[in-house]
Amino acid sequence: MNSSTTNKVIDKVGNAADTVAAAAIVGTNVASNSPVAQVASSAVSPTFSPLYQQIKVLILQRLQSGEWKSGEMIPSEVELGNRFKVSQGTVRKAIDELAAENLVVRRQGKGTFVATHHEDHVQFRFLRLMPDDGQPKPGEKKIIEFKRLRAPAEIARLLSMKSGDSVVFVKRVMSFDGAPTILEELWLPGVTFKALTLERLNEYQGPMYGLFETEFGTRMIRATEQIRAASADDEVAQLLNVAQMSPLLSVERVSFTYGDKPVEVRRGLYVTHHHHYQNELN
């Protein structure tokens, strides 16, 4: 590649302090087996990726491999800069994005830590049903059904599995202040959650995602949701203690872990007498 092309790529990085790392993108002056060079090897294609995004990918790979576990402190920006042969500013920008995505947490004067579902502010990240009169509160959980079965075709599709593969099915009611509020059905990959039992679910007192994270090495990173209006049939009305045909909110969620791998399908029916669905769009 000629020098003019090299200069154009380095200009795209937009930070003179990253010149050495930028050179890795075009394969000059940096060892081909360096972390940045490996990630950047495809950057000469039309889909150019900014350097901080490449560092973000490298950090995500470490999180996915378990090098830094949930709740643990990751190396400092200076240490990561030295490790990946880039500037501290580039690392900071990558970590800023990870923090905005709730994958890491910055703590003033302490450092940056891998986020965990056990933290109070994270527990309600995926539950968007909020009480009308204040802050969300932990709910009481009652397991209605727990079994292993072969995945129906639609569930298998959502979990990127084969129809008939083993899944864990959980049906439960969540109550707030003694009032049944959410009826949920959960579908989990049978291989990933092979050791999950009804007894463990009943005895565990923390958030379910905290259990998945701690005991099954599965952390929920993001989720997609579909929301519809619904009404209570006879069975649902009895479980949620509402009149038959009462209006409900139907929410189907697919949750993903690292590598954008789907690991849970959750279908819920919400009573909204004293709650509302809240989301922030930005």
Side-chain angles (χ1 to χ4, degrees), residues 163-212:
S163 182
D165 282 355
S166 172
V167 291
V168 177
F169 173 79
V170 180
K171 188 174 185 176
R172 68 175 186 171
V173 172
M174 290 188 66
S175 300
F176 298 91
D177 293 328
T181 305
I182 303 175
L183 174 62
E184 289 185 318
E185 294 182 351
L186 288 74
W187 306 80
L188 307 164
V191 173
T192 303
F193 295 93
K194 184 177 181 180
L196 183 63
T197 63
L198 174 61
E199 291 73 23
R200 187 66 186 110
L201 279 178
N202 280 327
E203 69 184 13
Y204 188 78
Q205 298 301 311
M208 183 175 282
Y209 283 178
L211 173 67
F212 295 169

Side-chain angles (χ1 to χ4, degrees), residues 228-257:
R228 296 183 176 90
S231 60
D233 60 22
D234 185 56
E235 179 189 4
V236 171
Q238 291 184 39
L239 290 171
L240 290 177
N241 195 25
V242 296
Q244 193 171 351
M245 298 305 294
S246 292
L248 302 171
L249 193 65
S250 170
V251 180
E252 178 179 281
R253 179 197 309 165
V254 180
S255 299
F256 300 80
T257 188

Side-chain angles (χ1 to χ4, degrees), residues 100-113:
E101 295 170 7
N102 296 293
L103 298 180
V104 298
V105 178
R106 294 185 185 276
R107 293 179 184 160
Q108 189 70 28
K110 294 183 178 180
T112 301
F113 295 77

